[in-house]
Amino acid sequence: MVDPLVGAAPGAHSLSLREGIAALLTRARRWWSEWTASPARLPLAALAWVALALALRLAGIASRPVWYDEAFSVLLAARPVGDLLAGTAADTMPPGYYLALQLWMTAGQSIGYLRALNVILGVLLVGLTFAMARACFDPRSASWAAILVAASPLLIYHAQELRMYTLLALSLGLYAYTVFELMVAPERRPSWGWWAGLIGAGALALYTHNLAIFSLVAPNVYLLIRRSWRNLARLVLAQVGMAMLFLPWLIVVPGQVAKIQAAFWTPRPGALEIVQAVVGFHAALPLPPAWLPLGVTAAMVALIGTLYVVVRQAWGKPATGYLLALLFVPPGLLLLASYIMRPLFVPRAMLLSLIAYLILAGWVIASARPRFLAWTVVAAFGIAAAVGLPAQFSHDTFPRSPFDQAAAHLATTEAPGDVVVHDNKLSFFPMHLYAPNLLQAFLPDEPGSHNDTLAAPTQRALHLVPSPGIEEAAQGARRIRYVVFERALEEYAARPEGKPPALAWLQSNASLAATTAFNDLWVYDFQLAR
């Protein structure tokens, strides 16, 4: 027999380019199948997943500017525990992540170091996904699932962000894995340690995010559909244990729910929001207009291809039904709640669904027949990541404007009598974090508006209270350096007043000396007459 990669035997015709490429792909697939199917080689494969996950999650973590939500996390975590708990109780989230970040901050304060906490959690999530996918299917499917998680733009984003979502994904993933081992996997007899892990992971998820409950009940729905009454009773009993561990914080949850009703500003979901969630699961938003059609198409092909193969070739397997419940129940409940409460349908609240989906996709890539379906799904995921990751890494406009550059400019050009006044907290918090010694103030949110999200108790806990107005902020100043988003200017331009009230007052009572733009973040230097 002739080896197609070596050449034709004497007297035989040479292979065409197409035949050569096909032979090369055949050998590559055979090599990959042998590699991922060998238990002895799994540790080496795991190193590849870890390297990929680390490389993508470490890219730019020290240089990418923080934005408002991240600055809020750091500033709150830096407060004493009493202030931290008081500030969190008046906000919309439990204190779990802020306490973890506070502990992490004891060894370092740089932005890169602080973000490394979520990077580590993100890499652990890759390993957890592999373990769960191997328990559900096989090592080859687990290998592909681990790769998809390692390269997921949404999971990479949250692994680089100083927020609680990677901890949420990890705790929910551990919860779902333990439920599978205890109640779904056939002929498994886990030890009591699995029950402790189940209760602990569920309680950690509750302490991490108030919307975790929508994911925690997904296994209940699966067991209910399967009429597995004994397991359902056992799970409910374990969830009572989670609630008992969560009891110290449970007393403040009603107030936080009321705050969620007022503070969440996402639109009531429809077809557009569902499509956006699908694209967010595969690529990133916003995408540049030129790449948006490709990103949407790739996301839809990956989703439809994955579900088609799963329904046709894996329907009836306990693991498949369980993963489909994890995929569809949380978004379905969030969609329902969005029409009962305030809109809550956001991809970051569906991270368990994303993990389940990527495990299913990993099985499709490893096992789909005919094989062109598998490679179509691979190509769709690859294209989505290829357009999503660059857009995600390079995004530098609202709400992630270059606050570090603006803060450095204000600090290096500061003069006696300067006061920096921010149009709102969204620019003040990150710039206060970058330049804590710079004299800065921020104006209050319009009461009842979608921006009015920072409760007064949280302001007091942070020791960051807005100035009553521009006149009060300008008292004693020689120069007001007014910071405002271009987006805010555009919003006011469409309203009867035409411009922010603070800007109108400054234009009437001071002379404009200079204007500096940092992408869509503007700094107006007004000289006051003295």
Side-chain angles (χ1 to χ4, degrees):
M1 177 178 275
V2 177
D3 189 332
L5 299 183
V6 174
H13 294 291
S14 299
L15 288 173
S16 68
L17 177 62
R18 181 179 178 182
E19 291 170 331
I21 293 174
L24 184 63
L25 290 174
T26 299
R27 176 161 292 192
R29 288 195 296 267
R30 186 183 302 122
W31 174 86
W32 177 257
S33 298
E34 293 173 352
W35 180 275
T36 55
S38 171
R41 289 170 175 159
L42 283 178
L44 292 177
L47 289 177
W49 312 324
V50 170
L52 176 64
L54 273 176
L56 292 175
R57 285 156 178 76
L58 289 174
I61 64 166
S63 59
R64 188 168 300 112
V66 300
W67 64 296
Y68 168 75
D69 281 5
E70 291 184 290
F72 176 86
S73 297
V74 176
L75 293 169
L76 186 59
R79 301 298 305 161
V81 173
D83 286 347
L84 187 156
L85 295 176
T88 308
D91 196 54
T92 59
M93 298 299 168
Y97 174 73
Y98 302 121
L99 291 169
L101 183 60
Q102 183 179 79
L103 181 62
W104 184 256
M105 289 172 66
T106 58
Q109 300 287 325
S110 70
I111 298 301
Y113 171 78
L114 295 178
R115 283 176 170 157
L117 172 60
N118 274 352
V119 170
I120 294 171
L121 297 177
V123 173
L124 291 176
L125 181 62
V126 175
L128 176 64
T129 302
F130 174 83
M132 184 173 174
R134 183 168 60 176
C136 290
F137 297 115
D138 54 72
R140 287 185 61 204
S141 301
S143 297
W144 278 109
I147 290 171
L148 293 176
V149 170
S152 165
L154 185 60
L155 295 176
I156 291 168
Y157 172 79
H158 288 306
Q160 294 185 324
E161 186 187 39
L162 288 161
R163 295 294 285 166
M164 66 286 298
Y165 298 104
T166 300
L167 181 60
L168 175 67
L170 186 64
S171 58
L172 288 175
L174 181 59
Y175 168 83
Y177 180 31
T178 53
V179 170
F180 180 83
E181 290 286 352
L182 288 165
M183 304 173 192
V184 181
E187 299 178 1
R188 304 276 177 90
R189 297 185 181 278
S191 66
W192 282 101
W194 286 91
W195 285 100
L198 170 65
I199 295 172
L204 179 58
L206 289 172
Y207 273 108
T208 302
H209 202 290
N210 276 329
L211 298 183
I213 186 65
F214 291 95
S215 296
L216 292 175
V217 300
N220 298 61
V221 176
Y222 168 76
L223 295 173
L224 183 64
I225 293 173
R226 293 294 299 265
R227 299 184 180 181
S228 182
W229 308 120
R230 181 170 179 269
N231 282 327
L232 180 59
R234 294 160 75 198
L235 178 57
V236 171
L237 186 62
Q239 289 168 338
V240 171
M242 300 171 206
M244 293 297 292
L245 291 175
F246 189 59
L247 194 59
W249 193 255
L250 193 59
I251 57 175
V252 306
V253 169
Q256 291 194 314
V257 171
K259 181 73 187 304
I260 290 173
Q261 293 269 43
F264 272 56
W265 51 268
T266 53
R268 199 169 297 279
L272 175 61
E273 285 69 33
I274 294 174
V275 171
Q276 288 175 336
V278 171
V279 176
F281 266 25
H282 297 82
L285 289 173
L287 287 174
W291 294 107
L292 184 60
L294 184 59
V296 173
T297 302
M300 291 300 175
V301 169
L303 178 65
I304 294 171
T306 297
L307 294 180
Y308 173 80
V309 174
V310 166
V311 171
R312 291 294 299 271
Q313 301 181 21
W315 192 258
K317 295 182 179 180
T320 302
Y322 180 64
L323 292 170
L324 287 173
L326 299 183
L327 171 57
F328 287 111
V329 170
L333 293 177
L334 287 165
L335 189 66
L336 180 63
S338 296
Y339 284 88
I340 298 174
M341 301 170 56
R342 294 284 295 177
L344 304 172
F345 191 79
V346 288
R348 60 182 177 269
M350 313 172 199
L351 293 179
L352 179 60
S353 298
L354 175 58
I355 294 167
Y357 171 59
L358 295 180
I359 291 175
L360 288 169
W363 179 85
V364 167
I365 295 170
S367 305
R369 295 292 184 274
R371 292 304 293 159
F372 83 86
L373 291 173
W375 295 112
T376 299
V377 172
V378 171
F381 272 103
I383 292 170
V387 300
L389 287 174
Q392 186 167 284
F393 288 145
S394 62
H395 185 86
D396 57 0
T397 55
F398 182 88
R400 289 179 280 158
S401 303
F403 301 109
D404 55 342
Q405 298 176 25
H409 164 75
L410 292 171
T412 55
T413 58
E414 184 183 17
D418 281 359
V419 175
V420 179
V421 179
H422 295 260
D423 177 67
N424 60 56
K425 63 184 185 293
L426 301 183
S427 59
F428 168 80
F429 272 58
M431 290 176 65
H432 175 69
L433 184 65
Y434 281 116
N437 297 322
L438 191 65
L439 184 57
Q440 302 184 72
F442 67 103
L443 301 177
D445 297 317
E446 183 179 346
S449 70
H450 65 272
N451 287 325
D452 188 17
T453 58
L454 188 63
T458 306
Q459 296 171 13
R460 292 191 293 269
L462 290 165
H463 289 194
L464 296 173
V465 178
S467 175
I470 184 63
E471 296 184 49
E472 290 81 0
Q475 287 181 1
R478 296 180 181 177
R479 181 172 62 165
I480 293 294
R481 316 192 78 178
Y482 179 66
V483 182
V484 61
F485 287 104
E486 183 177 331
R487 177 170 176 166
L489 297 176
E490 293 172 350
E491 289 176 352
Y492 270 102
R495 296 169 59 172
E497 53 265 51
K499 64 184 66 174
L503 181 59
W505 185 89
L506 287 167
Q507 289 175 336
S508 299
N509 295 273
S511 58
L512 181 63
T515 303
T516 309
F518 299 89
N519 290 351
D520 63 339
L521 184 68
W522 290 79
V523 177
Y524 291 89
D525 288 343
F526 282 96
Q527 200 71 40
L528 294 172
R530 292 292 182 229

